[in-house]
Amino acid sequence: MQALPLTQSGIQQRGLMSSSEYTFKLVQVCLPEPSKLVVMCDKRKRQCVCLCQVYKSCLHGLLPNYQAFYRVCSRLTKHQSTLLSGQDKQLLVALAGMDVSVPHVAVVSLAVCCRALKLCKVPAAVLHAFDDIRLKPASQVVLGLPEHILAAHAQPSPNPVQLQMTTPFPVTLPESALPADFKKQHGLLAKPHKHLVHRAVLAQHMGEFKSFSTSPFQLNRKGIARSSRTWQNSEKHVYLFLGYCHHYQQVSQPTLQLFLSSPLIAQFVSFYIAAGHSQLYIRNFLSCAKCVLRWWQSKPGGNHPSFVAGLEWLQTLGLQVADQLPRPSKDPKGLADIGKWMCAADLVHTIHGAEQQSQAQMQQQGVTVETSRDMHDAALAAMIFSHLPPVRLSCIRSLVGPAYLGPCLHPDCKEPSCEGNRLSIMSESPLLMRISLPHHKNARKWGKAVIEFDVPSDLAQLLHTYLGAPRKALLEHHLLIGDACPYVFMDMHGRGFVAAAVLTLYWQKWLVSRGGVPMNPSMCRQVFVDERQSDSATAGPSNQGAAMVMGHSVKQWDKWYDMQYHPRLAQNAVDGMQSWRAAMLQSHTLAAPDLTLSIALHCGHVLVSDYEESRYQSCCSDSDSDIELD
């Protein structure tokens, strides 16, 4: 891009975009080669400047200054800077021409920024641009540095000559009560501590650990590579543990080296128990901790015997947590009492009513944002339950529409010809739609077998109507940065349901608005299995075929989804015993033998020989001697 001359103020404006919080203006500053800046104005019209990205050709000479600038700003503000996120961050990223997942954007005061600029000796043109707005007292400066630029200049992770765990290992968990300043969001990803995630040592640790865990071939790692979803869960547990150490144990520089401290892990598990977390959640953290230890083992100096003992200690801790914190038993009646359960008939009736209402409103009012959103919600609900055996929510969230022609969006897909989880229109007349799900939870276990089926006619008609004008109206209304959402279903901001929690909250609010209860969408699978396995089940799909669409097997129904499996079998067995007893009595009456005994037998005496009497006494003496020995 050709460099634009500086105006008298040192800035040349090039564009304007707005969001709910800020107004962004793209500018360019003449450095040895041009760099992009963004001038930002918030609702109170306080002007801000953002140094977003430098060009690759001048990156080598300028980067050390900017990296030092970032660190000096962090030190001067004592890490109390504000982080941009959400729509504001996306607008900023799009305007600066950067990748969406790259920048870390922190807001600092203008006075601190100007001081940091002088300390770091950044180019004079940037100083002039900042000097021009120094007279505005309420100004702020926003600095954003790409993650891959910071990672290239990060300090190497500390690697002592001999790595080892803290010994001796705790033999019991310490008593723990929730602290007075307890916060559910205590991890490093929480807003007050998020700046710690981007520090050089921790960023380097996480990069190495991610590479160790997710590389397809890592022969010093036990097991196969972790999927992107599994890695996200591991990353979450790591940041929660480090956030606990930082917030409650006063660790100023949290790194993965804290996993080498068994007392800290024991205190964290006690903290989780006091907070009421389930045994499954705690065991997932312990599994993550074992992965971190194996990563440390793979490093030079990681062959200390304490690692083997530490892995065994974590294994024992996980088994005892599972034993002392059993999974709570759930049943439909108990869940209904607390407002977390709807029977299958009520759920089908609610969804059917939403379908009819959305179609009627579309005919009466035409295509508006409101009627389009209602039809979207009805189609989403019909996909989750009613027309199909409950498909996994991850498959529904990742389902792309017929208009998307790009590559597969699944982060772990390596097949060049894969089209991803897709809804396709096979023919318009007669209407035939097909769903193909190559990416589901058990795809690897099934030898990459694809779950594929034709959509029922009623659901196909509803989806076909929604994918037309209503979906186009939603995209135009919720358009963020000019990128059309490739997924069939979208949230209230026009983005796909990338996070499972977003879909859960969306479904709960919709279900309550329809007169239902705030039941999790994943619970629909239990509702379906409960009806299919009940004694009063209506005619429907075969259990084996329904389980295949759901992405598992009938055996998993009994183990995970059928909450009345054991009580129903027990009650059926007891009820069956009554007919069995009656049959036994009847057969005895029909073929009863003559059991009449003679009077002589009752009056006679039993004669015992001397040999038998001595044998009886011997047995009694043996028994008595045994009791005495005990």
Side-chain angles (χ1 to χ4, degrees):
M1 185 181 297
Q2 186 177 1
L4 296 178
L6 287 173
T7 61
Q8 294 179 355
S9 63
I11 295 178
Q12 175 71 38
Q13 298 185 6
R14 284 295 306 274
L16 179 67
M17 294 184 72
S18 297
S19 72
S20 59
E21 297 293 335
Y22 297 93
T23 299
F24 300 83
K25 295 181 180 180
L26 177 63
V27 301
Q28 290 180 326
V29 173
C30 287
L31 299 173
E33 289 198 28
S35 296
K36 290 184 179 179
L37 300 175
V38 173
V39 177
M40 305 170 56
C41 298
D42 64 7
K43 290 181 177 179
R44 288 165 290 186
K45 304 302 179 184
R46 297 186 304 181
Q47 196 170 16
C48 308
V49 174
C50 175
L51 178 60
C52 285
Q53 189 180 34
V54 294
Y55 283 76
K56 292 182 179 179
S57 56
C58 62
L59 182 63
H60 180 72
L62 300 179
L63 176 63
N65 299 112
Y66 296 148
Q67 188 177 359
F69 173 55
Y70 177 83
R71 291 173 177 170
V72 170
C73 285
S74 299
R75 186 173 70 251
L76 293 177
T77 57
K78 297 182 180 179
H79 312 294
Q80 298 299 317
S81 55
T82 305
L83 296 179
L84 287 182
S85 61
Q87 188 178 14
D88 296 321
K89 178 178 176 180
Q90 292 193 11
L91 286 169
L92 175 64
V93 170
L95 197 58
M98 299 167 63
D99 182 72
V100 188
S101 61
V102 164
H104 306 305
V105 184
V107 181
V108 298
S109 68
L110 182 61
V112 169
C113 184
C114 292
R115 183 180 174 189
L117 285 171
K118 292 183 178 180
L119 291 175
C120 299
K121 301 178 181 179
V122 300
V126 179
L127 282 173
H128 294 324
F130 281 99
D131 287 337
D132 183 64
I133 59 172
R134 285 189 67 178
L135 298 178
K136 298 178 175 61
S139 297
Q140 293 200 343
V141 176
V142 182
L143 170 70
L145 286 180
E147 184 177 8
H148 66 273
I149 294 179
L150 287 178
H153 291 261
Q155 299 295 325
S157 58
N159 185 27
V161 176
Q162 189 73 20
L163 291 170
Q164 66 180 68
M165 292 196 68
T166 304
T167 55
F169 296 100
V171 296
T172 185
L173 290 181
E175 294 293 333
S176 178
L178 291 181
D181 58 342
F182 169 71
K183 296 180 180 180
K184 289 186 177 180
Q185 295 183 348
H186 60 272
L188 290 189
L189 294 181
K191 197 170 184 179
H193 316 301
K194 202 169 184 179
H195 62 277
L196 297 173
V197 176
H198 312 311
R199 291 190 174 178
V201 175
L202 180 56
Q204 184 74 5
H205 278 181
M206 292 303 295
E208 294 177 6
F209 179 47
K210 181 178 182 180
S211 177
F212 175 82
S213 302
T214 60
S215 296
F217 296 99
Q218 189 76 31
L219 302 184
N220 58 350
R221 178 195 64 214
K222 183 179 179 181
I224 60 178
R226 295 197 162 198
S227 65
S228 58
R229 184 175 180 180
T230 306
W231 164 251
Q232 290 173 0
N233 292 332
S234 299
E235 187 180 39
K236 176 188 67 175
H237 285 295
V238 167
Y239 286 140
L240 285 172
F241 172 67
L242 297 183
Y244 165 82
C245 295
H246 173 70
H247 187 70
Y248 297 111
Q249 299 297 329
Q250 288 75 48
V251 178
S252 59
Q253 300 287 340
T255 66
L256 291 191
Q257 209 158 348
L258 295 177
F259 280 88
L260 302 180
S261 174
S262 54
L264 277 180
I265 293 178
Q267 291 172 2
F268 183 64
V269 171
S270 295
F271 170 78
Y272 261 13
I273 294 175
H277 288 293
S278 66
Q279 59 101 349
L280 182 61
Y281 197 78
I282 299 175
R283 292 179 69 189
N284 285 341
F285 161 72
L286 294 175
S287 176
C288 174
K290 288 191 287 187
C291 293
V292 176
L293 290 188
R294 293 192 180 100
W295 168 69
W296 280 115
Q297 271 188 308
S298 67
K299 300 178 73 62
N303 55 353
H304 195 272
S306 62
F307 282 102
V308 178
L311 291 171
E312 294 178 356
W313 179 78
L314 289 173
Q315 180 71 16
T316 302
L317 179 56
L319 293 175
Q320 295 187 9
V321 165
D323 178 64
Q324 297 300 317
L325 300 175
R327 293 170 61 94
S329 59
K330 298 179 181 179
D331 63 276
K333 184 179 182 306
L335 292 173
D337 292 340
I338 61 175
K340 296 293 184 180
W341 180 269
M342 292 178 66
C343 69
D346 292 343
L347 200 53
V348 170
H349 178 76
T350 299
I351 295 174
H352 180 66
E355 295 177 35
Q356 291 184 323
Q357 181 179 351
S358 64
Q359 293 174 350
Q361 289 180 346
M362 188 67 67
Q363 293 177 355
Q364 295 172 2
Q365 304 177 21
V367 178
T368 64
V369 175
E370 289 75 17
T371 59
S372 300
R373 177 56 64 175
D374 289 341
M375 179 158 286
H376 165 277
D377 296 345
L380 174 61
M383 280 288 297
I384 293 177
F385 198 77
S386 182
H387 291 274
L388 305 172
V391 182
R392 289 192 183 276
L393 297 178
S394 59
C395 297
I396 295 177
R397 290 189 290 110
S398 60
L399 195 67
V400 298
Y404 178 71
L405 302 177
C408 177
L409 299 178
H410 194 276
D412 298 326
C413 184
K414 298 178 178 61
E415 299 291 337
S417 59
C418 179
E419 297 182 346
N421 293 342
R422 176 174 291 273
L423 173 65
S424 305
I425 300 177
M426 309 306 295
S427 65
E428 294 281 354
S429 181
L431 180 61
L432 178 61
M433 304 183 78
R434 179 171 298 170
I435 292 179
S436 299
L437 304 174
H439 299 294
H440 52 92
K441 185 175 181 179
N442 287 324
R444 182 180 293 171
K445 295 181 180 179
W446 292 3
K448 297 185 178 180
V450 178
I451 299 176
E452 189 173 53
F453 51 86
D454 294 338
V455 180
S457 57
D458 291 344
L459 179 58
Q461 187 60 51
L462 177 64
L463 290 171
H464 189 265
T465 304
Y466 157 68
L467 291 173
R471 187 172 187 275
K472 183 179 179 181
L474 289 179
L475 287 174
E476 292 177 351
H477 177 72
H478 297 299
L479 195 61
L480 286 178
I481 319 172
D483 297 330
C485 177
Y487 300 104
V488 175
F489 303 107
M490 63 189 79
D491 62 12
M492 294 300 294
H493 300 286
R495 297 168 295 200
F497 293 100
V498 179
V502 177
L503 178 58
T504 298
L505 294 175
Y506 190 94
W507 162 269
Q508 289 176 334
K509 290 180 180 179
W510 177 85
L511 196 57
V512 170
S513 69
R514 301 296 306 181
V517 299
M519 182 181 70
N520 288 349
S522 59
M523 193 63 70
C524 293
R525 296 163 72 85
Q526 279 88 339
V527 171
F528 177 76
V529 172
D530 179 75
E531 195 282 331
R532 298 309 305 149
Q533 296 286 72
S534 66
D535 297 331
S536 58
T538 58
S542 67
N543 291 350
Q544 187 174 5
M548 185 70 65
V549 175
M550 294 173 67
H552 53 227
S553 63
V554 178
K555 290 183 179 180
Q556 289 177 293
W557 281 18
D558 301 336
K559 186 175 182 180
W560 299 108
Y561 294 96
D562 188 0
M563 292 185 288
Q564 300 191 80
Y565 175 72
H566 294 95
R568 183 176 59 251
L569 287 184
Q571 188 61 52
N572 290 343
V574 172
D575 295 341
M577 283 297 294
Q578 308 314 307
S579 59
W580 176 84
R581 178 176 177 272
M584 292 296 102
L585 292 174
Q586 184 179 5
S587 63
H588 181 273
T589 304
L590 295 176
D594 187 7
L595 300 178
T596 305
L597 298 176
S598 63
I599 298 176
L601 180 61
H602 288 279
C603 298
H605 298 280
V606 178
L607 300 179
V608 181
S609 64
D610 295 339
Y611 170 76
E612 292 174 335
E613 184 176 3
S614 61
R615 183 180 180 187
Y616 171 75
Q617 292 176 354
S618 174
C619 291
C620 290
S621 62
D622 290 343
S623 176
D624 294 341
S625 63
D626 290 340
I627 295 175
E628 291 174 359
L629 288 174
D630 292 339

